[in-house]
């Protein structure tokens, strides 16, 4: 069963967040476990964003979290946000195109 993690955060520095995400992808090429990621901006709440990160399984998400590059990413991401980043974890029970 696949697994998604949803990050909700507020930032006025979305371009820097996106650059940081791209940097993390480059640094973890061949070692990361992310299958897909989507970042979206809220239409009605300025500076509010979500990132949806998909993994093949919860276990792979845990392995991904243990990468040193992920630790560095999280620390740098926190500095770009106003307030804490909220993490939510979901097991996917339906996936249709």
């Amino acid at each position: 069963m696949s697994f998604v993690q949803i990050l909700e955060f507020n930032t006025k520095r979305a371009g820097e967040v996106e650059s940081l995400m791209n940097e993390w992808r480059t640094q973890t090429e061949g070692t990361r476990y992310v299958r897909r990621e989507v970042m979206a901006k809220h239409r009605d709440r300025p500076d509010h964003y979500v990132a949806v990160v998909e993994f093949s399984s919860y276990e792979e998400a845990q392995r991904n979290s243990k990468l040193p590059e992920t630790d560095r990413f999280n620390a740098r991401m926190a500095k770009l946000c106003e307030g804490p980043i909220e993490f939510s974890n979901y097991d996917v029970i339906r996936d249709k195109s």
Side-chain angles (χ1 to χ4, degrees):
M1 172 184 321
S2 63
F3 174 82
V4 294
Q5 186 170 66
I6 299 174
L7 292 72
E8 284 193 66
F9 55 95
N10 294 302
T11 187
K12 295 183 185 315
R13 300 163 74 180
E16 291 176 71
V17 169
E18 191 168 358
S19 292
L20 180 60
M21 289 177 166
N22 291 336
E23 182 180 319
W24 178 85
R25 288 187 67 77
T26 299
Q27 292 173 349
T28 58
E29 184 69 40
T31 61
R32 70 176 171 270
Y33 295 89
V34 173
R35 283 187 5 192
R36 182 172 180 223
E37 62 182 83
V38 174
M39 185 168 138
K41 179 177 181 175
H42 199 290
R43 282 186 166 261
D44 303 318
R45 293 170 54 196
D47 304 323
H48 187 78
Y49 297 84
V50 296
V52 180
V53 186
E54 181 181 3
F55 300 89
S56 294
S57 67
Y58 172 78
E59 292 75 22
E60 286 196 355
Q62 293 304 301
R63 285 186 214 114
N64 195 76
S65 292
K66 292 178 183 172
L67 295 172
E69 296 88 355
T70 301
D71 278 341
R72 287 192 295 272
F73 169 86
N74 288 335
R76 291 176 62 195
M77 173 94 171
K79 292 178 183 177
L80 296 174
C81 294
E82 286 86 45
I85 302 167
E86 294 182 33
F87 292 84
S88 300
N89 301 307
Y90 295 88
D91 292 318
V92 175
I93 59 171
R94 183 178 170 94
D95 184 1
K96 300 288 182 192
S97 296

